Structure formats: C-alpha cells, structure tokens
Amino acid sequence: MRLILADDSVLLREGLIRLLTDAGHEILAAVGDARALLDAIRHQPPDVAVIDVRMPPTHTDEGLRAALEIREHRPDVGVLVLSQYVEKTYAATLLAGNTEGLGYLLKDRVSEVADFLDSLERIRAGGTVFDPEVVRQLLARTTHADPLSRLSRREAEVLRHLAQGYVNAAIAERLHVSLSTVEKHINAIMDKLDLPRDPGYSRRVLAILRYLDD
C-alpha cells in the first residue's frame, strides 16, 4: 500500500520506513510536523497515513487535529494514529465520527511487527483498529461525565485558543471564521460547561480554568 508517515522523531520515522518498505509498501512521504503532513496528503493522497499525536510546534495535539482534518476532507484516506499518548478530547471526537478506515494504537503496546502490519491492512480495507487501552481511557472519561465532552470539535478548538490567551478577533483570524461565529461558540461553551452567570465571576476565566483542570 502507499503510506505517508508523520512523526517528529527522526529515528522512529527511519525505522518505520525501513520496516514498511521491507514489507513491500511504498512510502510517499515521511514528515515531522502536521503542516507538512497535510501538504503531503494534498499533493499525493496515500492509502493510509500513520500519524503521531504530539508534533511541532507545541507538541500537544497537532497530530490528532490533523487526523480530524484528514477525516473531514479526505475520508478516502485511512488514518492510523500511532502514539505514546491518549489525547482524550480529540481522540473522543475522532471516535465519535465515522470509524471506517481508522485506528489508534499505542507505540509501547505494539509488540509484534506482524500485528502492526495487519492493522495497516485492516485500516486500508475500511476496518477499525483501536488499542483496548485507548478505549478504556476514553470510556473512563465518559464515565466521569466530563463536561468538556459536551463540546463540539470547533468549540473545543475555540476553548483551546482561549486558554492560550487569544482574544476573540485573533481566534476568528486563526480559525478563518467571523468574529460573530467565535462569539457564538464562546457562549455555547459557557452554557455547555454550566458556568454561573453571577456578575462576580468572569465566565471566560472559569471556562479557561475548567479546560486547564481537565
């Protein structure tokens, strides 16, 4: 199959390239950040993209957000998230959508090369491959009724930008939406998080604190 690899670890990328080419697969591109990943997919879509969660510039959730963008705009491309981490907010959003041709595996729990190669084949065929530990952590989050799970993907993006200190106009510019759209999202966030309307509190600050406490 044709593959694109996205991981900021050069050693891991090179190891995967050798492993996959030895298995007869074609590597269309191997990149170290989410922007290069999306550019590579626009230029030459693969059968499956193998994506790490944490990549430059912030090393937080760039890979998963790129995976969501791929699922939205290129549903014909299979996606395998391969990471050391379960990034719960975006992983839950990923799992909530169409799961055909989708996988999420933890690097430390991939013990057999044959199983990894089989997972790629299943994803290319439209199957779903999720590490049981990923599912366990997502179910634990749901069980605790985390209010952040009520947010839509775009609302979660707006809240993340709020937590990074951006004002509404800057958020609108970064997300390529209107200022009024950002304001609507913020109002929806505050309502979904059940934040008090007491004039003695800043609901914006409370929303940021709720996000940072997650």
Side-chain angles (χ1 to χ4, degrees), residues 27 38 97 109 130 200:
I27 308 301
L38 295 174
R109 288 168 55 87
F130 271 78

Side-chain angles (χ1 to χ4, degrees), residues 70-188:
I70 294 166
R71 298 295 289 176
E72 180 178 355
H73 298 291
R74 292 304 308 248
D76 56 313
V77 173
V79 169
L80 172 59
V81 177
L82 182 64
S83 180
Q84 292 177 306
Y85 311 98
V86 180
E87 203 295 323
K88 298 178 184 177
T89 299
Y90 288 104
T93 304
L94 196 65
L95 187 58
N98 178 14
T99 57
E100 293 182 2
L102 178 65
Y104 197 134
L105 297 178
L106 298 178
K107 292 176 180 176
D108 293 343
R109 288 168 55 87
V110 177
S111 58
E112 297 290 340
V113 170
D115 290 343
F116 175 68
L117 296 175
D118 179 65
S119 295
L120 286 172
E121 293 286 359
R122 289 160 61 190
I123 290 168
R124 180 177 67 165
T128 304
V129 181
F130 271 78
D131 188 298
E133 178 62 17
V134 174
V135 176
R136 186 194 69 77
Q137 291 194 34
L138 293 179
L139 287 176
R141 178 188 179 95
T142 303
T143 301
H144 287 89
D146 184 351
L148 292 180
S149 65
R150 305 173 192 167
L151 303 183
S152 69
R153 186 182 65 164
R154 182 46 61 92
E155 288 164 355
E157 288 177 333
V158 170
L159 181 54
R160 180 172 57 83
H161 282 85
L162 284 177
Q164 292 174 346
Y166 292 104
V167 298
N168 293 7
I171 295 173
E173 181 178 354
R174 292 176 69 85
L175 297 181
H176 307 292
V177 298
S178 68
L179 180 59
S180 63
T181 297
V182 171
E183 292 168 348
K184 289 177 182 177
H185 284 316
I186 292 174
N187 288 332

